[in-house]
Amino acid sequence: EVQLLESGGGLVQPGGSLRLSCAASGFTFSSYAMSWVRQAPGKGLDWVSSISGSGGSTYYADSVKGRFTISRDNSKNTVYLQMNSLRAEDTALYYCAKTVAGENWGQGTRVTVSS
Amino acid sequence: DIQMTQSPSSLSASVGDRVTITCRASQDISNSLVWFQQKPGKAPKSLIYAASSLQSGVPSKFSGSGSGTDFTLTISSLQPGDFATYYCQQYKSYPITFGQGTRLEIK
């Protein structure tokens, strides 16, 4: 059974940083791209970033480019999202998803950016 | 960027009804489209991938069709558990983009 468990969310001041983690199990992790998708309170789904199975290719939404960095450690079956220079508009529930087509999703970790 | 436009934004229907939600892409995405169901407080769940392929474990009451720019999700014989928000998403090219969602409510 595929399981994705996000962690690392919390309350941070504007301009601050957080690192989200997503621990995966139940599939051959290194064979699949992984994505981060966020959902602001009461809003729709918003793609943030994706990374190829090897980690050699990364992709970002324009809204986070230059501030967020996606990475993965295939030896630990974990994908990360380093978030710097956080803004109020980054406040959301952040989901980790298997593949770019969202085959499976975690339950999300909440990020609140507020002073 | 490819824009995804869903219609309607909201829909009221009764138990037992058959409903159709549409999704239009601003350019040709072939069949690189997925449909998700999201219930309040829950993560999205994949229903249909490659526009018309049923995800494993999803009941056959859900069906998808379309190619190119126009796509539909049809749900037959609505049950109480089907009332949720539905999203389409294209994965033809980056940035990946979602429709704005269709909220399916009980009439």
Side-chain angles (χ1 to χ4, degrees), chain A residues 35 37 39 43-47 50 59-62 95 100-103 105-107, chain B residues 1 34 36 38 41-46 55 87 89 91 94-100:
Chain A
S35 298
V37 177
Q39 188 168 35
K43 302 297 185 182
L45 301 170
D46 181 33
W47 173 77
S50 296
Y59 308 88
Y60 299 95
D62 284 346
Y95 293 104
V100 297
E103 192 173 315
W105 296 63
Q107 288 307 300
Chain B
D1 298 3
V34 62
F36 297 105
Q38 187 178 32
K42 300 294 186 181
K45 173 187 175 183
S46 176
Q55 195 66 254
Y87 295 92
Q89 178 221 302
Y91 52 94
Y94 291 101
I96 291 167
T97 46
F98 290 88
Q100 79 277 20

Side-chain angles (χ1 to χ4, degrees), chain A residues 99-111:
Chain A
T99 76
V100 297
E103 192 173 315
N104 302 90
W105 296 63
Q107 288 307 300
T109 186
R110 191 164 300 279
V111 173

Side-chain angles (χ1 to χ4, degrees), chain B residues 18-96:
Chain B
R18 179 175 185 257
V19 299
T20 297
I21 299 168
T22 66
C23 182
R24 175 164 288 176
S26 62
Q27 62 190 80
D28 188 343
I29 60 168
S30 184
N31 69 336
S32 300
L33 184 105
V34 62
W35 287 99
F36 297 105
Q37 176 194 66
Q38 187 178 32
K39 296 181 180 180
K42 300 294 186 181
K45 173 187 175 183
S46 176
L47 300 174
I48 303 284
Y49 65 96
S52 60
S53 297
L54 198 64
Q55 195 66 254
S56 176
V58 174
S60 59
K61 62 187 299 180
F62 294 94
S63 62
S65 65
S67 183
T69 61
D70 294 312
F71 303 87
T72 61
L73 171 70
T74 300
I75 312 169
S76 61
S77 186
L78 282 171
Q79 296 302 306
D82 300 328
F83 291 92
T85 300
Y86 293 85
Y87 295 92
C88 62
Q89 178 221 302
Q90 67 81 19
Y91 52 94
K92 176 67 173 175
S93 67
Y94 291 101
I96 291 167

